[in-house]
Amino acid sequence: MVCLGRICPDMLINGPIDANPYSIRLNSDGRTGAVAAISAQPPESFSASLLRSLLLLLLLLQSDTFDESCESGGMENENETNTEPVEAEVNPWEVSGKIDYDKLIDKFGCQRLDQSLIDRVHRLTSRPPHVFLRRGVFFAHRDLNEILDAYERGDKFYLYTGRGPSSEALHLGHLVPFMFTKYLQDAFKVPLVIQLTDDEKCMWKNLSVEESQRLARENAKDIIACGFDITRTFIFSDFDYVGGAFYKNMVKVSKCVTYNKVVGIFGFTGEDHIGKVSFPPVQAVPSFPSSFPHLFSGKENLRCLIPCAIDQDPYFRMTRDVAPRIGYHKPALIESSFFPALQGDTGKMSASDPNSAIYVTDTPKEIKDKINKYAFTGGQDTKEKQRLYGANLEVDIPVKYLSFFLDDDDELEYIKQEYGSGRMLTFDVKKRLIDLLTELVERHKRARATVTEEMVDAFMAARPLPSMFS
């Protein structure tokens, strides 16, 4: 705590300045000796108001708070405990905090995915709704009803999703949109384009171009292992594909979005390099069929449906604003919640923290150890208390993971009832989850082992897909 001699904050702002204020000593509260001394002769134009501002700035730089003896307008103590809840941060590059999805829907301006739309998907496809639809994992949308209207009239659409390749292997959170996209492709029998944004990760993660390209191909193997139909699927990396008609659409989008607009949407600052500011059109234009002339030549009115996590919504808010101005339909979206980290439901799994995630390369032992050691539970800390009080299912990560991947609705409901009432222990729930995830990961490993470099080349070849709507 410091005070400039006898000068208090209100004096700095409103009061008189000593006759010789240019030689002052800053004393530190609770310490002896001078912190700093300033001696200077003022220039003739040096005004008293400017001096007051400079002295106040010095005070702020040297102390956490004003001296309690200064009676007016002191700063709040920075060391006091902040009791305000931390607001969730959700953007394409960061997800943190406790997320209120209802507030997020209001903030982003999308719509809640209701049961009537799920029933309509069931009716139009003659397939049971995917577990991610039934359980509300995909919970929000933009214009899904228009896609279904068009499909019901006999008009086709195409799917677009993507992956930013920043890690060697995918974790389970990365698999969620691809598992759901495969369901949509199979159910509606429509083509799919998958964008690998190796350029984005090169710029955001400080990876070399070569490393970003390598990771894109490795991630493509995991994506192919999800079982996509090669006769309906085109996978591309930005470094390899961007150009021609794709680049023309990027320029059209870029001309429609001001710098102020892109800063308002994405929060770029003066410290961000121009590569980041120029990237959004790259992710926008796969929404337009003319970006893929080898697939959709003569089909410029084809609609696009984008399955993605809701943190990607800002890209497509921008895209939907621009699309009608350059002659395209607005892309429709179906958006998912986040797959939570093992440590708790305050964000999503992160590739930067291996202990927060289950990877598709994890061994059965690693899966067991991670769940037993890191999975946050709502169960009680003793068997007796658990029997008495039961578990808090709202915060229990094993139950949340089971809600994603346990297809049997009856079994999931049984576990919730037994565990929530105390008749089932945390150990039993974790064991069921370990068995389930081990089976899922081992199945994925077997599928990935069959993916060759030649298969990757085939999926990523820019080629016609003559049977894509069959």
Side-chain angles (χ1 to χ4, degrees):
M1 197 102 43
V2 294
C3 192
L4 300 180
R6 295 187 305 275
I7 302 176
C8 292
D10 59 334
M11 292 174 63
L12 290 174
I13 297 171
N14 302 311
I17 298 296
D18 290 347
N20 184 23
Y22 304 105
S23 181
I24 61 176
R25 184 174 298 276
L26 289 80
N27 294 320
S28 175
D29 182 47
R31 292 174 291 169
T32 58
V35 174
I38 302 175
S39 297
Q41 292 300 319
E44 292 182 359
S45 61
F46 205 105
S47 69
S49 62
L50 178 58
L51 176 62
R52 291 188 186 99
S53 298
L54 290 174
L55 292 177
L56 180 58
L57 177 60
L58 283 171
L59 181 89
L60 296 177
L61 290 174
Q62 292 290 328
S63 97
D64 291 329
T65 63
F66 287 132
D67 194 338
E68 289 87 351
S69 65
C70 301
E71 293 180 353
S72 69
M75 294 173 59
E76 294 181 0
N77 191 335
E78 294 178 0
N79 295 322
E80 289 180 358
T81 302
N82 182 8
T83 58
E84 292 295 321
V86 178
E87 185 176 352
E89 181 71 30
V90 177
N91 61 53
W93 311 286
E94 180 186 358
V95 176
S96 62
K98 179 66 175 177
I99 297 162
D100 184 323
Y101 287 103
D102 289 326
K103 288 183 178 179
L104 202 57
I105 284 176
D106 291 339
K107 178 180 178 181
F108 284 177
C110 45
Q111 295 81 44
R112 172 70 70 171
L113 186 62
D114 60 27
Q115 189 60 45
S116 65
L117 283 173
I118 297 172
D119 293 341
R120 196 173 177 200
V121 170
H122 186 187
R123 178 172 58 83
L124 290 175
T125 63
S126 301
R127 286 177 178 244
H130 193 278
V131 63
F132 294 160
L133 279 179
R134 301 198 310 269
R135 306 267 173 80
V137 173
F138 278 80
F139 72 102
H141 75 99
R142 292 182 184 272
D143 292 347
L144 177 61
N145 53 313
E146 294 190 14
I147 289 286
L148 298 181
D149 288 345
Y151 186 80
E152 198 161 17
R153 292 194 302 266
D155 299 333
K156 296 292 187 178
F157 62 92
Y158 74 98
L159 296 164
Y160 156 42
T161 194
R163 159 79 183 136
S166 61
S167 59
E168 192 82 27
L170 275 59
H171 59 56
L172 295 185
H174 296 142
L175 282 187
V176 167
F178 293 112
M179 295 169 70
F180 186 66
T181 301
K182 181 187 180 327
Y183 156 78
L184 292 175
Q185 184 185 54
D186 293 344
F188 287 98
K189 298 179 174 59
V190 291
L192 162 68
V193 296
I194 299 176
Q195 180 182 42
L196 300 174
T197 56
D198 43 6
D199 54 342
E200 176 199 23
K201 294 308 176 184
C202 177
M203 291 186 286
W204 260 267
K205 297 293 185 179
N206 199 27
L207 300 170
S208 68
V209 170
E210 294 74 20
E211 178 65 3
S212 298
Q213 289 181 296
R214 186 187 72 81
L215 291 176
R217 284 188 68 89
E218 289 303 308
N219 285 190
K221 294 174 184 176
D222 281 314
I223 293 169
I224 293 167
C226 292
F228 291 107
D229 183 350
I230 194 170
T231 68
R232 292 193 178 101
T233 306
F234 172 51
I235 302 174
F236 67 98
S237 77
D238 289 343
F239 277 134
D240 292 335
Y241 184 73
V242 171
F246 193 101
Y247 184 69
K248 289 176 184 177
N249 278 335
M250 285 173 52
V251 172
K252 291 177 183 178
V253 170
S254 299
K255 289 175 66 177
C256 292
V257 183
T258 66
Y259 177 73
N260 285 341
K261 181 80 169 178
V262 81
V263 168
I265 294 172
F266 298 100
F268 296 130
T269 71
E271 301 302 313
D272 289 311
H273 57 68
I274 60 174
K276 292 183 178 182
V277 180
S278 65
F279 176 76
V282 184
Q283 189 159 322
V285 300
S287 309
F288 308 141
S290 65
S291 297
F292 306 101
H294 64 286
L295 295 177
F296 305 129
S297 179
K299 297 182 174 65
E300 282 73 19
N301 284 324
L302 198 63
R303 291 179 178 271
C304 176
L305 174 61
I306 306 170
C308 62
I310 198 168
D311 60 337
Q312 299 302 302
D313 189 87
Y315 280 116
F316 302 112
R317 292 204 304 274
M318 180 197 78
T319 307
R320 285 168 56 84
D321 180 63
V322 170
R325 297 157 63 188
I326 57 177
Y328 296 114
H329 291 296
K330 293 180 179 182
L333 284 82
I334 183 166
E335 299 176 312
S336 73
S337 57
F338 304 115
F339 194 66
L342 284 166
Q343 287 84 350
D345 193 11
T346 56
K348 64 178 182 178
M349 276 191 172
S350 171
S352 62
D353 181 4
N355 291 324
S356 75
I358 304 294
Y359 284 84
V360 295
T361 53
D362 283 348
T363 66
K365 183 179 185 305
E366 287 172 329
I367 294 171
K368 180 179 179 180
D369 290 346
K370 284 182 178 182
I371 292 172
N372 282 333
K373 185 174 181 180
Y374 297 110
F376 184 84
T377 76
Q380 305 299 326
D381 54 6
T382 67
K383 183 186 297 186
E384 291 74 19
K385 287 183 180 179
Q386 173 63 16
R387 296 295 189 199
L388 183 61
Y389 301 114
N392 179 359
L393 304 184
E394 293 298 316
V395 301
D396 194 272
I397 291 298
V399 168
K400 290 180 183 292
Y401 281 21
L402 289 171
S403 297
F404 273 79
F405 295 119
L406 182 58
D407 191 63
D408 189 325
D409 292 335
D410 292 336
E411 183 183 0
L412 179 64
E413 186 59 30
Y414 173 79
I415 290 172
K416 286 183 174 181
Q417 289 182 359
E418 295 296 297
Y419 188 37
S421 67
R423 292 187 295 270
M424 183 178 286
L425 302 178
T426 301
F427 170 83
D428 302 312
V429 179
K430 284 189 172 184
K431 184 178 185 305
R432 182 65 184 99
L433 178 62
I434 290 166
D435 292 342
L436 179 69
L437 295 189
T438 299
E439 179 185 357
L440 187 156
V441 170
E442 290 300 305
R443 184 169 63 246
H444 183 87
K445 286 180 184 177
R446 291 192 296 271
R448 192 185 192 281
T450 66
V451 179
T452 64
E453 294 294 338
E454 291 75 20
M455 287 178 65
V456 176
D457 290 339
F459 270 93
M460 298 184 75
R463 68 208 187 278
L465 299 176
S467 302
M468 60 186 174
F469 290 115
S470 297

